[in-house]
Amino acid sequence: MVHPNNDIIPTVEGLAYGGDYNPEQWPREVWDEDVRLMREAGVNIVSVNIFAWARINPGPGEWDFEQLDAIMDLLADAGIKADLATSTASPPPWFSEAHPETLPVNAEGVRLNSGARAEYCPHAPAFRDAVVEMASRLAERYTGHPALAMWHVGNEYYRSCFCDFAADAFRAWLLERHGSLAGLNDAWGTVFWSQTYTAWSQVLPPRICAETPNPGLVLDWQRFSSDALLKLFRSEADAIAKYSSDKPITTNLMVTGDFSGIDYHRWGDHVTGPNRLVATDHYLIPEHDTDIEWPAQVAFGADASRGLAGGSPWLLMEQAANSSAWRRGYFAKKPGDQLRHSLSYVARGSEGAMYFQWRASRYGAERYHSAMLPHGGEDSKVFREVKEFGAQLKQIAEVKGSRVVARAAVLLDFESSWAAKTPGQPSADMATYPELRRWHAALWRRGVTTDIVNPAWDLSGYEFVFAPHLYLLDSDAHLRDYVEHGGTLVIGPYSGIVDRNDHVRPGLPGAIRDLIGVRVEEFVPIPEGETIALDDGTEGQTWSEAAHALDADVVASFTDYPSTGAIFHRHVGQGEVWYLATRPTDLNPLLDRLGISTDVPEGLELVRRRHEDGRSYLFAINHTEKPQQLQATGKDLLTGKPWTEASILEPGQGVVIRERSEAHKQ
Ligand code: GAL
């Protein structure tokens, strides 16, 4: 459940601009230069105290807030706001030494050592107590501080642990979910391979074992681990809320990762609504890792974050100004990339743009990570662009609080993506994440603004809904309702196969069979590098199904198996549903069939944000190498000049047009 909220950072004037700020790494005189340059760059908020546990709590029972007080005062004097972190993501070595049982244990049973960060077990009582104490002390001390804009709990939750504390917590979670040991045995199908449990003590985390582990165990473990991190986040958030009830509380999520650790949609209740805010980190992957171009990657990150926020504004909490230290191979962004990317995040609903980090570190694991102020100093491409974007954000501040207008949705169900990765699948290549990105990118290339949302949420406002891979689906009722009321739904293969316990439904494809009017006889995976031909001239890859129409039109068939269909279409109520029995190598022919126009040249990014009172803004970014004309009239807030039908968007240029007419539709 998500709760709409258009005013996510009421305490920051205009759009947010800044980054992680770690002054504890620098001598005092550098702080003054920091503040001078921040002001020059238009920075109005920084995230502080993210990794400063060792500084403020240098030993058992020792507390020293002198330096943090000085940092907060410095910011307040400079008129810069603080996103104050609880510093709990990195317990210092003294803590791990005093409480060795809080160090995480991996699936092989190896207890990890201190020496990096995030070295904690989310279930260890000493750690849990310590983070609540830390959050309480900070909240009590800084609640009325003039620099305080919002609270930042932890940092990028992802840690899981396989220790005995985890095993106990897992059993309690399983009891609640399945009601009894008998319920658990039933849900996991433990009769298979004689895995039946007769006592809770026999139930273990999916530690490394002799052969393929029970998929039900693996799936429930992922659910449990996600819930455990939510519980940890909530314990700090609740502690803060006791002292500070008027400032937003957030954490930097990784909504755009490979969907592996957390079911962010289950976090919805706790990161949306009043005094909460969806904040995401997003780091681009260099082209050699993926064939999706950077602007489309930016759009994916933004659209998934906005989806999580239920369409409300959200905040880009971290991005890289240039290379990321953790990538294989250093890279530099091309001139202007940083400006275009940041503008695109804002176009797509972010209430500003923030970075990791303000000033590049001289030491530590991330000393070669890019920053707003690089090692190269002020006289650098990066810092010049940082200043330029700071000025741009001021010019477009009036977009704050407006919402993005999206025409389509791509469905993402974290549980389903986990279930599709459980062991023993017919094809290891039927992963959800790359397929969703592929569909999203294809829509991006056609200029379609797309929300990435949960299948159970309200879909009624979308003209098109794409479900590239919904392997786990309990019921088709919600999707059917969307279609019956006039929606167009496209469902990819290997969907609707299992229920919430990962039990295969006989009568494939189980949950969606009646909706699509198609029967699947068997799966025919396609080896990597090979394709399967369809009689409409297109091809499929990765997967195919021997599928037969029960009550659907066969739009295309596999040439080698003419008796079975490959693409199906069916009218349902006032809408229509398409089913694909393979993953098309090229998604464009299908988008053509759907009538999704190609009027917008590929690489011309157009996104609209609109206020409730009708004021409308067209963000246009020209990622192409050719000048482009826009069908828009109004005023470009970035240049302050009128925009007419004859105006030209130069290659690489971005504009934000306050539109003259209020009746724009995409
Ligand atoms: C993020 C993390 C930051 C920093 C950054 C580098 O994942 O939150 O602390 O490590 O990556 O890209």
Side-chain angles (χ1 to χ4, degrees):
M1 177 81 185
V2 292
H3 308 279
N5 177 15
N6 285 355
D7 195 4
I8 57 163
I9 25 177
T11 40
V12 171
E13 208 180 305
L15 296 163
Y17 195 46
D20 282 23
Y21 179 40
N22 301 305
E24 60 276 7
Q25 296 175 11
W26 297 91
R28 181 65 182 78
E29 58 274 16
V30 175
W31 301 9
D32 295 326
E33 188 190 58
D34 284 333
V35 164
R36 176 178 67 76
L37 292 174
M38 281 178 192
R39 291 170 63 102
E40 215 174 276
V43 165
N44 57 8
I45 181 167
V46 288
S47 302
V48 290
N49 200 44
I50 303 249
F51 294 109
W53 183 332
R55 182 77 218 182
I56 57 181
N57 177 206
E62 288 171 46
W63 295 93
D64 177 1
F65 292 103
E66 203 183 316
Q67 191 183 59
L68 187 54
D69 287 351
I71 295 166
M72 292 291 282
D73 293 349
L74 176 85
L75 294 174
D77 290 347
I80 297 167
K81 294 285 181 185
D83 163 37
L84 180 55
T86 55
S87 81
T88 47
S90 192
W94 74 256
F95 184 84
S96 310
E97 188 180 47
H99 306 283
E101 79 287 0
T102 64
L103 285 165
V105 173
N106 68 15
E108 285 79 33
V110 176
R111 193 174 289 281
L112 306 181
N113 299 290
S114 58
R117 66 171 165 180
E119 289 139 352
Y120 63 80
C121 161
H123 319 281
F127 178 74
R128 299 185 59 85
D129 291 349
V131 301
V132 169
E133 180 179 5
M134 177 71 86
S136 306
R137 281 181 184 265
L138 286 164
E140 187 176 13
R141 187 173 189 92
Y142 295 105
T143 182
H145 197 284
L148 181 71
M150 58 189 181
W151 295 99
H152 182 124
V153 178
N155 189 71
E156 289 191 337
Y157 283 93
Y158 73 93
R159 172 65 66 213
S160 69
C161 175
F162 293 73
C163 74
D164 290 342
F165 292 129
D168 283 343
F170 187 37
R171 289 173 195 130
W173 183 93
L174 289 168
L175 177 59
E176 202 176 321
R177 181 175 177 90
H178 299 293
S180 64
L181 204 53
L184 174 76
N185 278 316
D186 198 36
W188 289 2
T190 54
V191 67
F192 186 82
W193 279 357
S194 190
Q195 291 170 341
T196 307
Y197 298 105
T198 53
W200 280 103
S201 55
Q202 298 155 10
V203 180
L204 297 170
R207 295 174 182 152
I208 192 154
C209 50
E211 267 211 40
T212 310
N214 182 309
L217 160 66
V218 173
L219 182 57
D220 268 353
W221 174 257
Q222 290 204 255
R223 292 174 171 133
F224 157 75
S225 299
S226 170
D227 282 2
L229 290 175
L230 176 58
K231 199 166 149 195
L232 189 62
F233 164 76
R234 289 183 59 193
S235 72
E236 288 196 42
D238 291 349
I240 292 169
K242 274 192 201 142
Y243 298 94
S244 172
S245 55
D246 63 338
K247 297 287 185 323
I249 300 174
T250 191
T251 182
N252 48 341
L253 307 169
M254 293 183 281
V255 177
T256 52
D258 65 355
F259 310 157
S260 55
I262 291 186
D263 184 342
Y264 290 108
H265 293 162
R266 272 177 68 86
W267 282 49
D269 263 343
H270 307 281
V271 289
T272 60
N275 281 337
R276 288 289 194 272
L277 127 79
V278 169
T280 325
D281 296 350
H282 191 213
Y283 291 92
L284 303 184
I285 297 171
E287 279 118 15
H288 63 258
D289 277 356
T290 167
D291 59 0
I292 296 178
E293 56 276 34
W294 275 8
Q297 290 192 31
V298 168
F300 183 83
D303 295 352
S305 306
R306 187 181 63 253
L308 172 58
S312 297
W314 57 282
L315 181 63
L316 176 71
M317 185 61 93
E318 287 181 22
Q319 64 171 332
N322 231 353
S323 196
S324 308
W326 44 267
R327 294 301 314 165
R328 291 188 313 273
Y330 195 90
F331 62 89
K333 289 191 179 177
K334 290 198 215 67
D337 269 355
Q338 204 195 148
L339 291 165
R340 286 184 285 275
H341 296 167
S342 298
L343 190 63
S344 173
Y345 287 115
V346 177
R348 292 169 184 277
S350 176
E351 294 291 63
M354 296 183 66
Y355 292 78
F356 174 85
Q357 60 178 331
W358 160 251
R359 183 186 278 274
S361 300
R362 288 179 49 227
Y363 43 72
E366 296 187 318
R367 64 202 179 290
Y368 291 115
H369 196 288
S370 59
M372 298 172 86
L373 184 60
H375 291 140
E378 286 174 68
D379 186 10
S380 59
K381 170 197 78 183
V382 168
F383 192 65
R384 274 190 291 278
E385 290 187 1
V386 160
K387 280 199 291 191
E388 192 176 339
F389 195 66
Q392 290 188 355
L393 281 178
K394 285 192 182 140
Q395 283 157 320
I396 63 170
E398 64 186 75
V399 306
K400 187 176 179 184
S402 59
R403 292 166 73 98
V404 172
V405 183
R407 180 180 175 200
V410 168
L411 301 186
L412 158 63
D413 183 319
F414 290 93
E415 288 199 355
S416 173
S417 80
W418 297 341
K421 275 200 230 166
T422 50
Q425 291 286 340
S427 163
D429 301 326
M430 285 298 282
T432 305
Y433 176 65
E435 189 61 1
L436 254 62
R437 297 189 67 174
R438 205 165 73 91
W439 274 96
H440 180 272
L443 290 162
W444 181 89
R445 291 181 195 122
R446 294 205 170 197
V448 179
T449 307
T450 305
D451 287 343
I452 297 171
V453 295
N454 189 281
W457 294 352
D458 180 12
L459 305 174
S460 59
Y462 300 112
E463 200 179 331
F464 299 98
V465 169
F466 296 87
H469 192 208
L470 277 183
Y471 167 68
L472 180 156
L473 189 67
D474 251 359
S475 150
D476 71 343
H478 192 65
L479 297 177
R480 176 182 289 276
D481 190 57
Y482 164 72
V483 178
E484 278 175 351
H485 287 90
T488 298
L489 174 66
V490 178
I491 305 182
Y494 202 40
S495 290
I497 302 298
V498 296
D499 65 16
R500 71 177 66 205
N501 289 325
D502 193 44
H503 293 192
V504 179
R505 286 196 186 81
L508 297 172
I512 57 167
R513 181 174 165 140
D514 291 346
L515 174 60
I516 60 177
V518 173
R519 170 175 83 86
V520 169
E521 178 190 328
E522 64 174 344
F523 305 139
V524 190
I526 302 169
E528 203 186 335
E530 292 180 23
T531 55
I532 186 166
L534 274 63
D535 61 8
D536 64 353
T538 64
E539 290 181 325
Q541 63 188 4
T542 316
W543 185 264
S544 66
E545 291 164 356
H548 308 271
L550 295 172
D551 177 16
D553 298 326
V554 179
V555 177
S557 298
F558 297 114
T559 49
D560 285 351
Y561 310 102
S563 65
T564 70
I567 301 178
F568 300 87
H569 176 257
R570 181 169 188 246
H571 290 284
V572 180
Q574 292 162 285
E576 52 187 302
V577 61
W578 294 76
Y579 181 67
L580 314 176
T582 184
R583 284 186 167 175
T585 52
D586 180 1
L587 301 174
N588 286 305
L590 193 89
L591 297 182
D592 288 341
R593 284 188 199 279
L594 293 172
I596 293 185
S597 84
T598 46
D599 298 350
V600 180
E602 187 173 320
L604 175 59
E605 183 171 359
L606 299 179
V607 185
R608 206 160 251 123
R609 282 183 71 153
R610 197 176 286 150
H611 281 295
E612 265 159 21
D613 64 10
R615 278 173 302 145
S616 174
Y617 303 88
L618 180 66
F619 286 71
I621 307 172
N622 184 0
H623 300 285
T624 77
E625 287 172 3
K626 290 195 196 134
Q628 302 286 353
Q629 241 171 331
L630 289 184
Q631 303 295 312
T633 52
K635 178 184 171 187
D636 171 22
L637 299 179
L638 293 179
T639 56
K641 293 189 186 144
W643 190 271
T644 69
E645 300 283 345
S647 303
I648 295 292
L649 192 62
E650 297 299 339
Q653 191 189 353
V655 291
V656 181
I657 301 167
R658 187 206 289 135
E659 295 177 294
R660 200 153 287 144
S661 151
E662 292 172 7
H664 289 90
K665 287 245 159 32
Q666 260 189 330

